[in-house]
Amino acid sequence: PGGLTAVTTADGRFTAMMPHPERVFRNIQLSWTDQDRDAFSPWMQLWENARKWVR
């Protein structure tokens, strides 16, 4: 209901998302794309940002 696709805790320490970004980090894993199928998908930016934040 309402198109809910993600939830997070009040303190932001846990987030659950659909679709699962860990399953679609390459374009070949997407159900449809007009981009290079061998390249990273836009979801890869989530992991790059996480890596920068942890450093």
Side-chain angles (χ1 to χ4, degrees), residues 17-53:
M17 298 177 70
M18 282 294 288
H20 296 276
E22 74 276 8
R23 295 183 185 173
V24 290
F25 62 92
R26 294 181 57 221
N27 282 335
I28 194 87
Q29 297 167 306
L30 299 172
S31 59
W32 182 90
T33 183
D34 61 354
Q35 303 298 312
D36 177 8
R37 308 237 345 133
D38 292 326
F40 287 120
S41 77
W43 285 103
M44 188 63 179
Q45 188 65 51
L46 182 144
W47 304 111
E48 292 170 356
N49 291 347
R51 175 79 179 197
K52 288 177 188 175
W53 184 81

